[in-house]
Amino acid sequence: MSDVMKTLGLTQLEKALPVLFEQARQQKMTYETFLQRALDAEVEGRNLRAAQRRIQAARLPVTKTLESFDFSFQPSISERLVRELADLSFVQTTTNVIFLGPPGVGKTHLCIALAVKALAAGHSALFTTLSQLAEALETASYPSLVRQRLRRYTTPSVLIIDEVGYTRLTPEQSHHFFELVTARYEHGSILLTSNTSFSEWGNLLGNEVLATALLDRLLHHAEVLSVTGRSYRMKDRLSANSVSVKP
Ligand code: ADP
Ligand code: MG
């Protein structure tokens, strides 16, 4: 029987079968119930494996959740808007979500948390920083490899591009970044974080005209969240200091 299940690719059922047999004996299951449970075990197992594969493929650097985000610490972020985004209609409408603000205010946390929601709902996602992305595309030395690498970033439903602004791009990298944003425009959402205001993107890309065209596509269907609060990373240090200076 094990061979037949292997031939049919029923690997999840094969794993679940010993327990199912035991339950069937104990609960005196009908044939119908047993068959239903056996098929359910295969489907559930497959769904679980697909979900695990999706999560691995997303390459999230850490797992963050909306539940662990303290909105009271960051009043400049609209909790209502973030919760609306978490219903994932932005994925369907291929709307981009841009988080602007200084370091430590939770930009990456919120992007990852939204990606976690999207993954749980069955969407694909991929996390990258702009410098990783630029490097991956630049080191592809011939055009077909560039196209192949680009596809890696165009196929996921949700692409996170983190830390835009820390690296100035070479002309070639800027061109690839533009190509990617153009390829995803109205096809797939981008979640992007930046410490740099849009007016500086000309400098960042080394090309004002390209930056304007890129921002035009990026912002056409986008929610922009500007975060102006304090760094969460410094929270404990600041409160520790304030405790220590108290008499
Ligand atoms: P940014 O990307 O804006 O530099 P991060 O999202 O990396 O900041 O946040 C820095 C650290 O602080 C992370 O560990 C993150 O989980 C945590 N953090 C930031 N803001 C909050 C918040 N409001 N509630 C809970 N944790 C937060
Ligand atoms: Mg960050």
Side-chain angles (χ1 to χ4, degrees):
M1 188 158 62
S2 160
D3 285 349
V4 179
M5 285 191 284
K6 278 205 177 66
T7 309
L8 291 172
L10 300 173
T11 49
Q12 306 304 312
L13 175 59
E14 192 183 352
K15 271 190 261 170
L17 217 44
V19 173
L20 268 175
F21 280 145
E22 189 53 38
Q23 287 175 348
R25 274 186 216 106
Q26 277 178 6
Q27 298 168 19
K28 300 191 171 58
M29 272 181 209
T30 61
Y31 294 123
E32 287 86 348
T33 307
F34 178 77
L35 184 60
Q36 186 65 56
R37 295 266 178 96
L39 296 175
D40 287 348
E42 178 63 31
V43 171
E44 276 165 27
R46 281 186 193 191
N47 288 343
L48 194 66
R49 283 198 50 198
Q52 285 164 346
R53 267 200 301 270
R54 267 200 318 276
I55 289 166
Q56 259 178 359
R59 298 181 181 207
L60 301 178
V62 282
T63 301
K64 299 283 178 183
T65 59
L66 277 191
E67 290 67 33
S68 68
F69 193 81
D70 180 0
F71 284 94
S72 65
F73 184 81
Q74 213 55 271
S76 67
I77 296 178
S78 157
E79 178 171 357
R80 189 187 52 78
L81 176 57
V82 174
R83 298 222 176 272
E84 258 172 47
L85 291 169
D87 78 9
L88 301 177
S89 52
F90 79 93
V91 183
Q92 254 84 44
T93 56
T94 64
T95 299
N96 299 326
V97 186
I98 320 284
F99 292 92
L100 294 179
V105 292
K107 303 183 299 296
T108 304
H109 183 130
L110 288 173
C111 281
I112 293 177
L114 290 175
V116 165
K117 288 266 184 237
L119 288 163
H123 299 290
S124 54
L126 179 65
F127 180 99
T128 185
T129 62
L130 181 63
S131 63
Q132 281 169 353
L133 174 79
E135 199 179 316
L137 293 174
E138 191 171 47
T139 52
S141 43
Y142 46 96
S144 65
L145 190 57
V146 175
R147 273 201 302 281
Q148 191 185 323
R149 295 258 176 98
L150 257 178
R151 218 172 303 133
R152 189 193 298 166
Y153 299 102
T154 50
T155 39
S157 304
V158 175
L159 178 71
I160 300 176
I161 307 178
D162 200 23
E163 299 189 346
V164 174
Y166 288 108
T167 332
R168 269 169 151 252
L169 302 184
T170 64
E172 194 189 357
Q173 289 174 333
S174 295
H175 177 72
H176 289 321
F177 183 31
F178 173 73
E179 262 190 282
L180 174 63
V181 170
T182 303
R184 290 192 67 88
Y185 175 62
E186 298 189 337
H187 288 287
S189 308
I190 296 176
L191 302 181
L192 185 145
T193 78
S194 182
N195 63 344
T196 310
S197 65
F198 296 130
S199 58
E200 290 296 315
W201 282 38
N203 269 336
L204 181 74
L205 300 183
N207 183 332
E208 285 292 343
V209 178
L210 193 73
T212 306
L214 184 147
L215 285 170
D216 189 53
R217 286 159 178 78
L218 188 70
L219 301 178
H220 183 198
H221 311 289
E223 292 287 354
V224 179
L225 289 89
S226 290
V227 196
T228 53
R230 290 179 296 145
S231 165
Y232 196 84
R233 291 194 188 99
M234 302 299 278
K235 178 184 77 134
D236 295 333
R237 198 168 306 180
L238 293 175
S239 57
N241 279 347
S242 61
V243 168
S244 68
V245 293
K246 273 183 190 157

